[in-house]
Amino acid sequence: KLQHNLWLEWFCRSGRISLPQRIVIAQVAGLRELCDHTSELREIEKKGVDIPSSKISISACVDKEGVEDKYFEASSEVAVSDLLIQYMATDTTEPHGQASLYAGDVCNTRSPKLINIGSLTKGKWPFEAGLKSTNCWCAPDGDNFRVRGSNYLHDRKKVPAGQPFAELVAVDWFVDYQRIDNICSRPSGTCQHSLLKNDYHESFVFAVNIQVPGPRHFSIVYYYRLRAPLDKSSLFSRFVHGDDAFRNSRLKLIPSVALGPWVVQRAVGTKPLIVGRALKVVYHSRPNYLEVDIDIGSSTVANNVVRFVLGYVRTLVVDMCFLIEGKSDGELPERLIGTSRIAHLEPDAAVPPPPVV
């Protein structure tokens, strides 16, 4: 559809392009170029050839059928992301302005008395009086995600996931000048100092550290604590105690942009991802925790998509869930490890990680 100019007809009739219209046009143009680059980059990755990120841009481009450049330019003075932030801020004067669009898509925050452990504040989105709804995290309902049902191998049907067996208890938002690895081993960190300090032998923590490289390296770390002792006969126990090959073939991530520009929703999608097949993953295993370090920079495609999304991050509400893929009848239905929601993340709010020793 992006190869045709019919979507521009409404914009061009008036002769004057408004701010929201220019933003939409720039987003569509960016998505088209992103799709073109993605197909090219996949071929490059297959051949094992790397290219500088400066050669790849997600910017407004000239229409292939001759539409003038001006229809793709959001502004010659202000960045598209800044215009979008400004427009959304003026368009949603009420803090609960978007809540009605996602009435069933709420977080499981049952009490306004929240105890914050990690560097990112626990809150709630959609907005609720007395709770923070920006630059915060919460845990959406597991039924927002669909997973393989009991008879999936026979009928290929997916079902609402239900309640996760681990609780999201903390989130850290870090920035440093080098990649942030093995965060759970640091004595003054959230895992060692807070989550395992008082009940070291009873708790098991599953941590996911998503690493975004760049001039400054960002990491967002999700800490999940099991609601019950680790069942040694479960699929998750096999994952915890398995080798890296088994882990890489089973750990699944399902993303979803609950609120954000259409171009970002299309770029992120909702398709499940077997993380270890697409990205470099390093596992740090101890008797009472398992940390999964996911290096976004290990894939050129993933890195450029994520850095593109970061340009819109202040306007986004992003959901994710983690689970172990079931491949046999005995491993079905699939169960969620945990869910997460990050609302309107502020890059400048990232803090330095705790020292290694």
Side-chain angles (χ1 to χ4, degrees), residues 29-46 51 55-58 263 266-268 299-306 308-309:
L31 176 61
R32 184 173 58 200
E33 187 168 335
L34 174 64
C35 294
D36 290 341
H37 281 307
T38 300
S39 60
E40 295 171 4
L41 289 169
R42 282 174 178 162
E43 294 301 320
I44 293 172
E45 283 194 321
K46 289 178 182 178
I51 58 176
K55 299 294 185 182
I56 302 169
S57 62
I58 303 174
V263 65
R266 289 295 301 269
V268 174
S299 165
T300 306
V301 173
N303 188 39
N304 280 281
V305 170
V306 169
F308 166 64
V309 171

mmCIF file of all heavy atoms in Angstrom, residues 29-46 51 55-58 263 266-268 299-306 308-309:
data_model
loop_
_atom_site.group_PDB
_atom_site.id
_atom_site.type_symbol
_atom_site.label_atom_id
_atom_site.label_comp_id
_atom_site.label_asym_id
_atom_site.label_seq_id
_atom_site.Cartn_x
_atom_site.Cartn_y
_atom_site.Cartn_z
ATOM 1 N N ALA A 29 6.618 7.677 5.395
ATOM 2 C CA ALA A 29 7.834 7.647 4.590
ATOM 3 C C ALA A 29 8.948 6.920 5.321
ATOM 4 O O ALA A 29 9.705 6.139 4.736
ATOM 5 C CB ALA A 29 8.269 9.077 4.260
ATOM 6 N N GLY A 30 9.047 7.157 6.625
ATOM 7 C CA GLY A 30 10.065 6.473 7.413
ATOM 8 C C GLY A 30 9.834 4.979 7.451
ATOM 9 O O GLY A 30 10.772 4.191 7.347
ATOM 10 N N LEU A 31 8.569 4.567 7.588
ATOM 11 C CA LEU A 31 8.267 3.139 7.609
ATOM 12 C C LEU A 31 8.627 2.483 6.291
ATOM 13 O O LEU A 31 9.176 1.384 6.255
ATOM 14 C CB LEU A 31 6.782 2.925 7.914
ATOM 15 C CG LEU A 31 6.309 1.474 7.875
ATOM 16 C CD1 LEU A 31 7.048 0.657 8.922
ATOM 17 C CD2 LEU A 31 4.805 1.394 8.093
ATOM 18 N N ARG A 32 8.345 3.157 5.183
ATOM 19 C CA ARG A 32 8.660 2.570 3.883
ATOM 20 C C ARG A 32 10.160 2.362 3.731
ATOM 21 O O ARG A 32 10.623 1.319 3.273
ATOM 22 C CB ARG A 32 8.129 3.472 2.764
ATOM 23 C CG ARG A 32 8.346 2.866 1.370
ATOM 24 C CD ARG A 32 7.652 3.698 0.305
ATOM 25 N NE ARG A 32 8.137 5.064 0.310
ATOM 26 C CZ ARG A 32 7.475 6.082 -0.228
ATOM 27 N NH1 ARG A 32 6.298 5.886 -0.770
ATOM 28 N NH2 ARG A 32 7.987 7.292 -0.198
ATOM 29 N N GLU A 33 10.926 3.386 4.140
ATOM 30 C CA GLU A 33 12.376 3.240 4.026
ATOM 31 C C GLU A 33 12.888 2.179 4.981
ATOM 32 O O GLU A 33 13.798 1.413 4.659
ATOM 33 C CB GLU A 33 13.060 4.579 4.323
ATOM 34 C CG GLU A 33 14.565 4.537 4.052
ATOM 35 C CD GLU A 33 15.183 5.918 4.053
ATOM 36 O OE1 GLU A 33 14.475 6.898 3.793
ATOM 37 O OE2 GLU A 33 16.390 6.001 4.319
ATOM 38 N N LEU A 34 12.277 2.086 6.186
ATOM 39 C CA LEU A 34 12.659 1.065 7.134
ATOM 40 C C LEU A 34 12.441 -0.327 6.550
ATOM 41 O O LEU A 34 13.292 -1.209 6.669
ATOM 42 C CB LEU A 34 11.853 1.233 8.425
ATOM 43 C CG LEU A 34 12.031 0.141 9.480
ATOM 44 C CD1 LEU A 34 13.465 0.135 9.989
ATOM 45 C CD2 LEU A 34 11.050 0.342 10.625
ATOM 46 N N CYS A 35 11.301 -0.524 5.905
ATOM 47 C CA CYS A 35 11.017 -1.825 5.289
ATOM 48 C C CYS A 35 12.032 -2.156 4.199
ATOM 49 O O CYS A 35 12.509 -3.286 4.094
ATOM 50 C CB CYS A 35 9.601 -1.826 4.707
ATOM 51 S SG CYS A 35 8.297 -1.698 5.948
ATOM 52 N N ASP A 36 12.382 -1.143 3.391
ATOM 53 C CA ASP A 36 13.369 -1.368 2.336
ATOM 54 C C ASP A 36 14.712 -1.765 2.922
ATOM 55 O O ASP A 36 15.365 -2.700 2.464
ATOM 56 C CB ASP A 36 13.527 -0.105 1.476
ATOM 57 C CG ASP A 36 12.293 0.177 0.624
ATOM 58 O OD1 ASP A 36 11.498 -0.765 0.429
ATOM 59 O OD2 ASP A 36 12.125 1.326 0.187
ATOM 60 N N HIS A 37 15.140 -1.034 3.956
ATOM 61 C CA HIS A 37 16.435 -1.328 4.577
ATOM 62 C C HIS A 37 16.423 -2.687 5.254
ATOM 63 O O HIS A 37 17.412 -3.417 5.226
ATOM 64 C CB HIS A 37 16.786 -0.255 5.599
ATOM 65 C CG HIS A 37 17.314 1.010 4.989
ATOM 66 N ND1 HIS A 37 18.369 1.017 4.104
ATOM 67 C CD2 HIS A 37 16.945 2.304 5.144
ATOM 68 C CE1 HIS A 37 18.613 2.263 3.738
ATOM 69 N NE2 HIS A 37 17.761 3.061 4.356
ATOM 70 N N THR A 38 15.288 -3.049 5.885
ATOM 71 C CA THR A 38 15.223 -4.316 6.594
ATOM 72 C C THR A 38 15.460 -5.486 5.656
ATOM 73 O O THR A 38 16.208 -6.412 5.960
ATOM 74 C CB THR A 38 13.860 -4.466 7.289
ATOM 75 O OG1 THR A 38 13.696 -3.402 8.221
ATOM 76 C CG2 THR A 38 13.768 -5.795 8.029
ATOM 77 N N SER A 39 14.844 -5.455 4.474
ATOM 78 C CA SER A 39 15.027 -6.551 3.524
ATOM 79 C C SER A 39 16.470 -6.622 3.044
ATOM 80 O O SER A 39 17.036 -7.700 2.875
ATOM 81 C CB SER A 39 14.081 -6.386 2.334
ATOM 82 O OG SER A 39 14.328 -5.163 1.656
ATOM 83 N N GLU A 40 17.111 -5.446 2.856
ATOM 84 C CA GLU A 40 18.499 -5.429 2.426
ATOM 85 C C GLU A 40 19.425 -5.906 3.531
ATOM 86 O O GLU A 40 20.367 -6.659 3.302
ATOM 87 C CB GLU A 40 18.888 -4.015 1.998
ATOM 88 C CG GLU A 40 18.129 -3.527 0.761
ATOM 89 C CD GLU A 40 18.383 -2.051 0.497
ATOM 90 O OE1 GLU A 40 19.190 -1.462 1.239
ATOM 91 O OE2 GLU A 40 17.781 -1.499 -0.429
ATOM 92 N N LEU A 41 19.152 -5.483 4.768
ATOM 93 C CA LEU A 41 20.028 -5.828 5.873
ATOM 94 C C LEU A 41 19.980 -7.309 6.210
ATOM 95 O O LEU A 41 20.970 -7.894 6.636
ATOM 96 C CB LEU A 41 19.647 -4.996 7.105
ATOM 97 C CG LEU A 41 20.004 -3.515 7.020
ATOM 98 C CD1 LEU A 41 19.348 -2.753 8.163
ATOM 99 C CD2 LEU A 41 21.517 -3.330 7.068
ATOM 100 N N ARG A 42 18.808 -7.927 6.011
ATOM 101 C CA ARG A 42 18.734 -9.362 6.255
ATOM 102 C C ARG A 42 19.661 -10.122 5.329
ATOM 103 O O ARG A 42 20.302 -11.097 5.713
ATOM 104 C CB ARG A 42 17.289 -9.830 6.075
ATOM 105 C CG ARG A 42 16.412 -9.490 7.271
ATOM 106 C CD ARG A 42 14.979 -9.830 7.032
ATOM 107 N NE ARG A 42 14.163 -9.532 8.195
ATOM 108 C CZ ARG A 42 12.855 -9.405 8.176
ATOM 109 N NH1 ARG A 42 12.196 -9.537 7.036
ATOM 110 N NH2 ARG A 42 12.174 -9.137 9.282
ATOM 111 N N GLU A 43 19.738 -9.677 4.073
ATOM 112 C CA GLU A 43 20.651 -10.317 3.137
ATOM 113 C C GLU A 43 22.100 -10.091 3.557
ATOM 114 O O GLU A 43 22.943 -10.977 3.464
ATOM 115 C CB GLU A 43 20.420 -9.761 1.720
ATOM 116 C CG GLU A 43 19.062 -10.117 1.138
ATOM 117 C CD GLU A 43 18.860 -11.623 1.055
ATOM 118 O OE1 GLU A 43 19.831 -12.331 0.692
ATOM 119 O OE2 GLU A 43 17.758 -12.094 1.356
ATOM 120 N N ILE A 44 22.396 -8.880 4.054
ATOM 121 C CA ILE A 44 23.757 -8.581 4.509
ATOM 122 C C ILE A 44 24.132 -9.454 5.685
ATOM 123 O O ILE A 44 25.235 -10.001 5.759
ATOM 124 C CB ILE A 44 23.883 -7.082 4.876
ATOM 125 C CG1 ILE A 44 23.742 -6.234 3.614
ATOM 126 C CG2 ILE A 44 25.203 -6.790 5.562
ATOM 127 C CD1 ILE A 44 23.661 -4.746 3.882
ATOM 128 N N GLU A 45 23.183 -9.604 6.647
ATOM 129 C CA GLU A 45 23.476 -10.416 7.823
ATOM 130 C C GLU A 45 23.735 -11.875 7.454
ATOM 131 O O GLU A 45 24.582 -12.539 8.028
ATOM 132 C CB GLU A 45 22.314 -10.328 8.802
ATOM 133 C CG GLU A 45 22.315 -9.025 9.581
ATOM 134 C CD GLU A 45 21.372 -9.089 10.770
ATOM 135 O OE1 GLU A 45 20.282 -9.677 10.609
ATOM 136 O OE2 GLU A 45 21.726 -8.571 11.819
ATOM 137 N N LYS A 46 22.979 -12.379 6.458
ATOM 138 C CA LYS A 46 23.181 -13.763 6.035
ATOM 139 C C LYS A 46 24.596 -13.982 5.509
ATOM 140 O O LYS A 46 25.187 -15.037 5.651
ATOM 141 C CB LYS A 46 22.162 -14.133 4.959
ATOM 142 C CG LYS A 46 20.735 -14.268 5.494
ATOM 143 C CD LYS A 46 19.767 -14.586 4.369
ATOM 144 C CE LYS A 46 18.334 -14.671 4.877
ATOM 145 N NZ LYS A 46 17.374 -14.931 3.777
ATOM 146 N N ILE A 51 27.957 -3.263 8.202
ATOM 147 C CA ILE A 51 28.070 -1.955 7.591
ATOM 148 C C ILE A 51 27.915 -0.900 8.658
ATOM 149 O O ILE A 51 27.244 -1.114 9.657
ATOM 150 C CB ILE A 51 27.000 -1.752 6.492
ATOM 151 C CG1 ILE A 51 25.588 -1.932 7.083
ATOM 152 C CG2 ILE A 51 27.210 -2.691 5.350
ATOM 153 C CD1 ILE A 51 24.497 -1.654 6.096
ATOM 154 N N LYS A 55 25.543 4.561 7.537
ATOM 155 C CA LYS A 55 25.076 4.318 6.175
ATOM 156 C C LYS A 55 23.595 4.003 6.133
ATOM 157 O O LYS A 55 23.007 3.874 5.069
ATOM 158 C CB LYS A 55 25.862 3.141 5.562
ATOM 159 C CG LYS A 55 27.361 3.398 5.464
ATOM 160 C CD LYS A 55 27.686 4.517 4.488
ATOM 161 C CE LYS A 55 29.186 4.683 4.320
ATOM 162 N NZ LYS A 55 29.520 5.790 3.414
ATOM 163 N N ILE A 56 22.988 3.797 7.329
ATOM 164 C CA ILE A 56 21.599 3.417 7.390
ATOM 165 C C ILE A 56 20.821 4.530 8.057
ATOM 166 O O ILE A 56 21.129 4.936 9.153
ATOM 167 C CB ILE A 56 21.420 2.122 8.205
ATOM 168 C CG1 ILE A 56 22.249 1.005 7.573
ATOM 169 C CG2 ILE A 56 19.960 1.724 8.271
ATOM 170 C CD1 ILE A 56 22.352 -0.203 8.427
ATOM 171 N N SER A 57 19.817 5.045 7.385
ATOM 172 C CA SER A 57 19.017 6.112 7.969
ATOM 173 C C SER A 57 17.551 5.783 7.816
ATOM 174 O O SER A 57 17.134 5.140 6.860
ATOM 175 C CB SER A 57 19.310 7.449 7.288
ATOM 176 O OG SER A 57 18.960 7.379 5.924
ATOM 177 N N ILE A 58 16.764 6.200 8.800
ATOM 178 C CA ILE A 58 15.326 6.056 8.714
ATOM 179 C C ILE A 58 14.784 7.467 8.650
ATOM 180 O O ILE A 58 14.466 8.087 9.630
ATOM 181 C CB ILE A 58 14.787 5.289 9.930
ATOM 182 C CG1 ILE A 58 15.476 3.933 10.035
ATOM 183 C CG2 ILE A 58 13.287 5.107 9.844
ATOM 184 C CD1 ILE A 58 15.122 3.180 11.281
ATOM 185 N N VAL A 263 3.653 4.050 12.948
ATOM 186 C CA VAL A 263 4.905 3.602 12.338
ATOM 187 C C VAL A 263 5.716 2.766 13.320
ATOM 188 O O VAL A 263 6.366 1.791 12.938
ATOM 189 C CB VAL A 263 5.728 4.813 11.828
ATOM 190 C CG1 VAL A 263 6.186 5.710 12.966
ATOM 191 C CG2 VAL A 263 6.924 4.340 11.016
ATOM 192 N N ARG A 266 4.015 -0.714 13.755
ATOM 193 C CA ARG A 266 4.330 -1.593 12.629
ATOM 194 C C ARG A 266 5.767 -2.086 12.682
ATOM 195 O O ARG A 266 6.056 -3.228 12.319
ATOM 196 C CB ARG A 266 4.073 -0.855 11.311
ATOM 197 C CG ARG A 266 2.617 -0.616 10.997
ATOM 198 C CD ARG A 266 1.860 -1.930 10.775
ATOM 199 N NE ARG A 266 2.415 -2.706 9.688
ATOM 200 C CZ ARG A 266 2.016 -2.606 8.428
ATOM 201 N NH1 ARG A 266 1.054 -1.765 8.105
ATOM 202 N NH2 ARG A 266 2.558 -3.339 7.494
ATOM 203 N N ALA A 267 6.692 -1.220 13.100
ATOM 204 C CA ALA A 267 8.100 -1.610 13.163
ATOM 205 C C ALA A 267 8.338 -2.669 14.229
ATOM 206 O O ALA A 267 9.123 -3.600 14.039
ATOM 207 C CB ALA A 267 8.976 -0.387 13.420
ATOM 208 N N VAL A 268 7.639 -2.555 15.373
ATOM 209 C CA VAL A 268 7.829 -3.499 16.478
ATOM 210 C C VAL A 268 7.024 -4.761 16.257
ATOM 211 O O VAL A 268 7.524 -5.875 16.426
ATOM 212 C CB VAL A 268 7.446 -2.831 17.817
ATOM 213 C CG1 VAL A 268 7.490 -3.843 18.952
ATOM 214 C CG2 VAL A 268 8.373 -1.656 18.107
ATOM 215 N N SER A 299 22.540 -7.779 16.301
ATOM 216 C CA SER A 299 21.819 -7.845 15.031
ATOM 217 C C SER A 299 21.706 -6.440 14.457
ATOM 218 O O SER A 299 21.177 -5.538 15.126
ATOM 219 C CB SER A 299 20.422 -8.439 15.230
ATOM 220 O OG SER A 299 19.598 -8.207 14.112
ATOM 221 N N THR A 300 22.173 -6.256 13.239
ATOM 222 C CA THR A 300 22.091 -4.938 12.604
ATOM 223 C C THR A 300 20.653 -4.497 12.450
ATOM 224 O O THR A 300 20.301 -3.333 12.696
ATOM 225 C CB THR A 300 22.772 -4.973 11.225
ATOM 226 O OG1 THR A 300 24.100 -5.471 11.370
ATOM 227 C CG2 THR A 300 22.819 -3.584 10.605
ATOM 228 N N VAL A 301 19.781 -5.422 12.038
ATOM 229 C CA VAL A 301 18.376 -5.088 11.855
ATOM 230 C C VAL A 301 17.747 -4.692 13.174
ATOM 231 O O VAL A 301 17.119 -3.633 13.299
ATOM 232 C CB VAL A 301 17.610 -6.270 11.226
ATOM 233 C CG1 VAL A 301 16.120 -5.975 11.201
ATOM 234 C CG2 VAL A 301 18.125 -6.553 9.827
ATOM 235 N N ALA A 302 17.907 -5.523 14.205
ATOM 236 C CA ALA A 302 17.308 -5.234 15.508
ATOM 237 C C ALA A 302 17.840 -3.940 16.091
ATOM 238 O O ALA A 302 17.092 -3.142 16.658
ATOM 239 C CB ALA A 302 17.566 -6.395 16.468
ATOM 240 N N ASN A 303 19.137 -3.718 15.932
ATOM 241 C CA ASN A 303 19.748 -2.510 16.492
ATOM 242 C C ASN A 303 19.165 -1.262 15.862
ATOM 243 O O ASN A 303 18.842 -0.284 16.553
ATOM 244 C CB ASN A 303 21.262 -2.554 16.289
ATOM 245 C CG ASN A 303 21.973 -1.438 17.013
ATOM 246 O OD1 ASN A 303 21.623 -1.076 18.129
ATOM 247 N ND2 ASN A 303 22.991 -0.877 16.375
ATOM 248 N N ASN A 304 19.004 -1.259 14.544
ATOM 249 C CA ASN A 304 18.479 -0.075 13.871
ATOM 250 C C ASN A 304 16.995 0.131 14.158
ATOM 251 O O ASN A 304 16.543 1.272 14.297
ATOM 252 C CB ASN A 304 18.733 -0.172 12.370
ATOM 253 C CG ASN A 304 20.159 0.206 12.023
ATOM 254 O OD1 ASN A 304 20.515 1.371 11.964
ATOM 255 N ND2 ASN A 304 21.000 -0.802 11.818
ATOM 256 N N VAL A 305 16.227 -0.951 14.276
ATOM 257 C CA VAL A 305 14.819 -0.813 14.632
ATOM 258 C C VAL A 305 14.675 -0.255 16.044
ATOM 259 O O VAL A 305 13.891 0.664 16.299
ATOM 260 C CB VAL A 305 14.084 -2.158 14.498
ATOM 261 C CG1 VAL A 305 12.684 -2.063 15.106
ATOM 262 C CG2 VAL A 305 13.988 -2.573 13.045
ATOM 263 N N VAL A 306 15.462 -0.790 16.994
ATOM 264 C CA VAL A 306 15.368 -0.325 18.381
ATOM 265 C C VAL A 306 15.799 1.129 18.501
ATOM 266 O O VAL A 306 15.163 1.927 19.196
ATOM 267 C CB VAL A 306 16.207 -1.228 19.308
ATOM 268 C CG1 VAL A 306 16.348 -0.604 20.692
ATOM 269 C CG2 VAL A 306 15.559 -2.600 19.428
ATOM 270 N N PHE A 308 15.615 3.347 16.207
ATOM 271 C CA PHE A 308 14.528 4.106 15.604
ATOM 272 C C PHE A 308 13.398 4.307 16.615
ATOM 273 O O PHE A 308 12.878 5.414 16.791
ATOM 274 C CB PHE A 308 14.019 3.355 14.368
ATOM 275 C CG PHE A 308 12.705 3.841 13.832
ATOM 276 C CD1 PHE A 308 12.578 5.119 13.325
ATOM 277 C CD2 PHE A 308 11.595 3.010 13.816
ATOM 278 C CE1 PHE A 308 11.365 5.571 12.818
ATOM 279 C CE2 PHE A 308 10.381 3.444 13.312
ATOM 280 C CZ PHE A 308 10.271 4.728 12.816
ATOM 281 N N VAL A 309 13.048 3.239 17.328
ATOM 282 C CA VAL A 309 11.984 3.318 18.330
ATOM 283 C C VAL A 309 12.373 4.258 19.466
ATOM 284 O O VAL A 309 11.520 4.961 20.017
ATOM 285 C CB VAL A 309 11.652 1.905 18.856
ATOM 286 C CG1 VAL A 309 10.711 1.975 20.056
ATOM 287 C CG2 VAL A 309 11.042 1.056 17.750
#
